[in-house]
Amino acid sequence: MSKTEQDHQHRAALDVADRALAVDPRDPGALIAKGDALAGLGDSRAAASFYSSALRAAGDGKGLSAEVLSELRRAQATIQAQAQLFEAHLGNSLANAGFNPSTSSDRFALSLDLMAGRKLLYQQEPRFYLFPGLPQIQFQPRESVPWLAAVEAAASEIRAELEALLAEPDLFRPYVEPRADRPNRDAVGMMSNADWSALFLWKDGVEQPDIARRCPRTLAALAEVPLCRVPGRTPSILFSKLKAGARIPPHHGLINTRLICHLPLIAPPGSRFRVGNDTRDWREGQAWAFDDTIEHEAINDSGQDRTILIFDVWKPEMSEEERALVSALFQAVDAYGAGGQAWGV
């Protein structure tokens, strides 16, 4: 059959599919037929859009004939094959334009992953307070938190103070504890769960003197850190222990004006942390800062407890005026009646 005859056949099939879709625009079989006709005419991108529409229209496939289900599977396989060809085309084109995934813009690389559906889009979702206009960043770039290097340099001294405290395991309490003055939810199984426990040097903006006095090197290492200071709320400085085999389920923090910092002190292989799309292994002495209002979770699949130092700091994008105003705002909130909602980390 000549190319002209084939095109005539595909156009005839296209007319038949259009008539069927005029009666029922969600007919999966007609949508696939139109996709086939367009593919035959050389318009693979348009064909893919109709195959995708057929899959959406089919839903869970209940009530459809075996023949239509078979056609849907074929359409899905065709979409996947076309997506691979398209990604290869983009990769080659961008490589010619100078793009290198390992050295080029991380933000552009993420945009490609989102476009291809390889990653999901995670946004700040604070449970209590949103300060608009702050960048959506999962792990903060190191160049914007240069003081982390000094904290890392003190890791061995901080660990020595931690080990003395670990010798008294009763000092650690479940991180999520019930409050008598507020309704308590189960917090996805974390309420009163000793699998995730903490020992505070500072809690809700108040020094815990019995523990703080035993950790002078830890507090000295944080002396130049821009701790997030709101009386009665922050900073919190604590050792956080996650038992072997335990997990902290995905969750969001309360406010987006701060970063949470981790300094791993005891981090066995198999202990890792996810923020949005980015999953990293904890490595002893290697700190990071992240936005806890983006969905995050912790996993300890090792056979040992994992223990880290946690503290919270102002985001570097916040001006001194903005920091003071946010602090004043929450002091006003707490002044209105007894007891505000403490910020967790």
Side-chain angles (χ1 to χ4, degrees), residues 145 147 222-229 312-315 323:
V145 285
W147 38 262
L222 301 181
E224 301 303 319
V225 168
L227 295 170
C228 184
R229 294 190 182 275
D312 52 329
V313 301
W314 290 110
K315 282 189 173 176
R323 297 176 186 187

Side-chain angles (χ1 to χ4, degrees), residues 36-54:
D36 289 342
L38 289 167
L41 291 168
D43 194 346
S44 60
R45 288 182 63 184
S49 68
F50 281 94
Y51 293 148
S52 297
S53 292

Side-chain angles (χ1 to χ4, degrees), residues 250-301:
H251 61 288
H252 299 84
L254 292 172
I255 62 168
N256 71 327
T257 53
R258 64 177 182 169
L259 298 169
I260 306 303
C261 302
H262 287 179
L263 175 65
L265 299 166
I266 301 174
S271 60
R272 59 192 185 278
F273 188 65
R274 177 183 68 84
V275 183
N277 289 301
D278 195 345
T279 300
R280 302 182 180 184
D281 292 337
W282 278 293
R283 299 188 187 280
E284 292 175 4
Q286 296 182 19
W288 60 51
F290 71 98
D291 185 336
D292 76 330
T293 66
I294 295 173
E295 182 185 276
H296 58 287
E297 63 179 322
I299 302 103
N300 185 6
D301 284 339

